[in-house]
Amino acid sequence: MKQMKLENFQKAVLRLAEGLDEYHAHPSTTARDGVIQRFEFTFELAWKSLKVYLQDQGVGADLQFPRQVLKEAYATKLIDDQTVWIDMLTARNTTSHIYDDRQATAVMADIENRYLTALQALSALYA
């Protein structure tokens, strides 16, 4: 199960990058919204895979919530920029509950400029 979660996360990161490529080739609000949707499930898989990884390492058996997992992952140096990950959590929470075109545009910029790189770095750690 652990291996499956990690593999699913790695596949999601690849699909997110593909979505960005598609958006750049054919920019539209529909493509942008698709990238944001991919980001949401990629982030979900990211924090859940971190949780499994940490617990497998004997750290944080009581971790339940994304923010807890991210703080522990930073403390154990699995992620190197806690701010980016907390910002991702905030973005995921915002985009999955409220739709606002300005927020979507801002989240899209962050996915391109900040989040994808962090997600790819974590994916490489599991390779």
Side-chain angles (χ1 to χ4, degrees):
M1 176 140 150
K2 175 190 131 195
Q3 189 62 33
M4 183 182 233
K5 277 193 190 287
L6 300 179
E7 289 173 6
N8 285 340
F9 166 65
Q10 290 173 314
K11 288 176 188 175
V13 172
L14 292 173
R15 298 299 172 267
L16 178 59
E18 288 173 0
L20 276 172
D21 290 344
E22 183 69 24
Y23 172 78
H24 289 292
H26 307 285
S28 69
T29 55
T30 303
R32 180 195 64 195
D33 294 350
V35 170
I36 291 170
Q37 182 74 43
R38 286 183 180 196
F39 161 72
E40 290 171 1
F41 69 73
T42 302
F43 178 78
E44 281 298 305
L45 290 168
W47 83 261
K48 289 177 181 177
S49 69
L50 275 168
K51 177 182 173 181
V52 168
Y53 187 86
L54 286 164
Q55 290 174 337
D56 190 54
Q57 302 299 311
V59 179
D62 61 340
L63 296 174
Q64 294 181 23
F65 303 106
R67 191 173 299 272
Q68 293 173 314
V69 171
L70 297 175
K71 287 184 179 196
E72 190 63 39
Y74 179 71
T76 58
K77 302 195 185 319
L78 289 173
I79 58 175
D80 62 359
D81 189 340
Q82 184 177 2
T83 302
V84 168
W85 285 89
I86 297 298
D87 288 351
M88 274 194 257
L89 173 61
T90 301
R92 188 280 321 250
N93 289 342
T94 300
T95 59
S96 63
H97 299 296
I98 301 169
Y99 188 83
D100 176 283
D101 198 51
R102 285 178 297 155
Q103 286 180 327
T105 299
V107 168
M108 182 66 172
D110 282 337
I111 292 168
E112 290 181 285
N113 300 318
R114 300 172 62 215
Y115 303 161
L116 180 60
T117 303
L119 291 162
Q120 289 170 325
L122 180 61
S123 180
L125 177 70
Y126 295 147

